[in-house]
Amino acid sequence: MNRSNTCTKVTVRQAKLKNGMISLYLDFYPAIRNPKTMKMTRREFLGIYIYANPKNQTEDGFNKDMLMKAEGIRCIRVQSLINEQFGFLDKTKQKVDFLAYFKEKGRTKQQKWDMVYKHFFKYVNGKCTFGEVTIELCRGFREYLLNAHQLKHTRLMLSQNSAASYYSIFKELLYMAYREKWLNENINDYLEKIETVDVRKETLTLDELKKLNQTPCKIPVLKQAALFSCLTGLRVSDILRLNWDNIRIGSDGGYVIQYRIKKTGAEDTLPISEETLEFCGERSTGKVFKGLRYSIVGYNLKEWLEAAGIDKHITFHCLRHTFASLQVSMGSPIYTVSKMLGHKNVTTTQIYADLNDANKRKASELISLK
C-alpha cells in the first residue's frame, strides 16, 4: 500500500453556536485515535471561538487572529501525524511533561501508583519530559528502587517485593505511553523486571486468636477492630473508613458489608456473621470504629499481644493473613477465600494454601505403607 494514501488530512472547520459565536475545530480524515480515550475520532475541538457576524473592526481583527492560531495548531497536528506515519521523532511530544502524564494516569489507579510516582519524582528531581524517558533512565530507576528507602519510614529500606511491585507498575505506565504513541518504541523490551522473593506471612493460630480475645486491651476500639479484621480479612484502611451505612441486611437475610476497597477502588460485598457484627458495638451513625487511628495501632497492638503471651511479630495487616490462613486450614474453598479477600486473581490467594502447615501435615500422612 502506498503510504501517501494513508496520510490523514487535517482541516479547520467551523460550528455555529446559539450565542452568535462560532467554535473552531479540526477535522481529521481518515479518523485518528485519541491518545487519551484510545477511540477513533474525526474531531478535535480547539476551545477557540470567533464572532459569527463581527460588528466592528476590533471583532473582525479578533476573528483573523483566532483563525491564525487555529491554523498554527492545524500545522502542528499535521507535522505530528507525518512524524508518526513515517517513524520520526515528534519534537512536540518530546517536550511534554512525563511526570504530569504519570500523575494523571495514576488518578484512576490504586493507591500504590501514587507511591511509585513519588519515588520516580524523587529519582528525577521533579523534572522529566517524554524526550528524557530513555532506556538508561528506566534502568537507573530500577537500581534506585532496589536501593531506596521508604518514603514514610525513611530509616527503613524498601523491600525487594515492594521494589518489584513498584517497577512492575512503572513498566505498565511505559507500555501505556507507547500504546498511546507518546513513546516511539516499547522500552519494556529492553528492561529486566525485579524478581520477588518468598516471604513467610506471619499469622495467628486459632488458639492464639482465642487467647487474644480473652486478653484485655488498654484501647477497647483497637481490640474490636483487630478481632473484626481476623473474622473478615478487611484491611486496616477499609476498617478505618467503615461506616454503619456499609453494614446492611443481604438478600439471604444475613448481614453483609457493602463497601469500596480503598486499595483497588473495586466495589465489594462481604457476608459477616452475627458474632463478627458484635465486635462493631451498638449500631449508631457515622464511623463504626470511632476513635480508631493509624497512630494508635502499632505500639498498642504489640503491647496487647505481649500481654496475651504471644511472641510473634504481628502487624495489623497480619490479622488479614490470619483470616485467610484459618479459612484455608478449615477447608474453605480457595476460590471462596479469594472472593472474600477481594483478590482479583485466585493465584494471589494460593500462597495461603502453599504456606498452610496443617494442610501439609494432613497431606504427609495420606500415604502409608502400614
Side-chain angles (χ1 to χ4, degrees):
M1 182 184 291
N2 189 338
R3 282 187 169 183
S4 62
N5 293 335
T6 64
C7 288
T8 297
K9 181 180 179 181
V10 187
T11 308
V12 177
R13 305 280 189 200
Q14 300 182 4
K16 288 186 178 182
L17 306 176
K18 293 181 180 179
N19 62 359
M21 300 294 286
I22 290 175
S23 174
L24 301 181
Y25 67 94
L26 297 181
D27 179 21
F28 299 92
Y29 184 81
I32 64 168
R33 191 175 300 280
N34 185 310
K36 289 187 177 180
T37 65
M38 295 305 292
K39 295 179 179 179
M40 300 301 291
T41 182
R42 283 203 47 193
R43 291 179 177 82
E44 178 189 357
F45 286 91
L46 302 176
I48 298 176
Y49 306 93
I50 61 175
Y51 296 97
N53 299 296
K55 299 176 181 178
N56 49 50
Q57 192 173 358
T58 301
E59 292 184 355
D60 188 56
F62 175 84
N63 279 8
K64 290 179 180 179
D65 186 37
M66 292 300 104
L67 286 167
M68 286 182 63
K69 290 183 184 300
E71 177 60 21
I73 296 173
R74 188 194 73 82
C75 292
I76 292 173
R77 294 292 185 272
V78 170
Q79 183 183 35
S80 296
L81 288 167
I82 291 174
N83 285 343
E84 288 180 4
Q85 192 77 28
F86 295 100
F88 300 138
L89 288 174
D90 187 342
K91 293 181 179 179
T92 59
K93 285 187 177 181
Q94 285 188 293
K95 295 177 182 178
V96 173
D97 189 349
F98 179 72
L99 283 171
Y101 175 84
F102 195 158
K103 194 167 189 177
E104 180 62 29
K105 288 297 179 185
R107 291 185 194 279
T108 58
K109 301 292 183 178
Q110 56 180 277
Q111 192 178 16
K112 196 179 289 186
W113 274 69
D114 186 53
M115 297 299 293
V116 184
Y117 170 81
K118 288 176 179 176
H119 274 290
F120 187 75
F121 186 93
K122 182 179 179 182
Y123 168 65
V124 296
N125 295 318
K127 292 182 180 179
C128 184
T129 62
F130 273 97
E132 294 169 314
V133 180
T134 62
I135 296 170
E136 290 72 23
L137 181 87
C138 297
R139 285 176 176 169
F141 185 51
R142 182 182 185 276
E143 293 305 310
Y144 161 88
L145 289 174
L146 286 170
N147 299 281
H149 287 79
Q150 296 180 23
L151 296 177
K152 288 185 178 180
H153 308 288
T154 54
R155 292 183 180 180
L156 300 177
M157 296 291 291
L158 201 63
S159 71
Q160 179 153 333
N161 285 355
S162 291
S165 176
Y166 288 1
Y167 200 56
S168 177
I169 287 174
F170 181 70
K171 291 182 69 180
E172 183 181 344
L173 176 77
L174 292 176
Y175 182 71
M176 286 181 181
Y178 167 68
R179 189 184 63 181
E180 296 174 8
K181 298 187 177 180
W182 290 102
L183 296 173
N184 71 320
E185 63 178 342
N186 187 4
I187 295 179
N188 285 329
D189 290 342
Y190 309 95
L191 303 179
E192 293 182 11
K193 69 176 184 178
I194 298 177
E195 297 291 344
T196 58
V197 294
D198 289 336
V199 178
R200 182 173 181 83
K201 297 180 185 294
E202 196 70 270
T203 62
L204 297 172
T205 65
L206 184 57
D207 286 340
E208 288 171 334
L209 192 55
K210 289 179 178 179
K211 189 184 295 185
L212 200 59
N213 183 35
Q214 295 165 359
T215 303
C217 178
K218 289 197 304 185
I219 304 177
V221 70
L222 173 59
K223 179 176 181 178
Q224 289 175 254
L227 295 175
F228 185 81
S229 179
C230 291
L231 296 177
T232 62
L234 284 184
R235 299 177 180 87
V236 64
S237 57
D238 293 318
I239 288 177
L240 285 165
R241 297 164 64 238
L242 191 65
N243 280 301
W244 280 106
D245 289 343
N246 298 124
I247 302 176
R248 56 193 68 179
I249 301 294
S251 58
D252 61 354
Y255 289 100
V256 298
I257 300 173
Q258 290 185 332
Y259 71 112
R260 183 181 294 277
I261 302 173
K262 184 177 181 181
K263 183 177 180 180
T264 64
E267 293 280 354
D268 198 13
T269 299
L270 178 67
I272 60 172
S273 66
E274 291 194 17
E275 179 184 349
T276 302
L277 184 63
E278 289 176 6
F279 287 105
C280 297
E282 189 175 346
R283 190 175 187 96
S284 61
T285 57
K287 299 290 185 185
V288 173
F289 298 101
K290 293 179 174 63
L292 183 67
R293 302 186 303 278
Y294 275 115
S295 58
I296 70 172
V297 171
Y299 175 77
N300 292 289
L301 178 60
K302 180 182 178 182
E303 192 176 52
W304 179 34
L305 286 159
E306 289 175 352
I310 299 173
D311 185 22
K312 287 182 178 179
H313 178 65
I314 297 290
T315 65
F316 202 101
H317 196 68
C318 292
L319 305 180
R320 173 174 164 86
H321 297 323
T322 294
F323 167 82
S325 179
L326 290 176
Q327 286 286 347
V328 171
S329 67
M330 292 178 177
S332 293
I334 196 73
Y335 181 78
T336 301
V337 178
S338 180
K339 287 298 181 183
M340 295 182 78
L341 289 170
H343 287 163
K344 290 184 177 180
N345 197 318
V346 73
T347 55
T348 307
T349 321
Q350 187 63 44
I351 189 172
Y352 296 106
D354 296 339
L355 296 176
N356 193 273
D357 292 332
N359 284 349
K360 290 179 181 178
R361 172 61 60 192
K362 291 176 185 176
S364 71
E365 296 172 352
L366 289 176
I367 301 175
S368 175
L369 302 179
K370 294 181 179 180

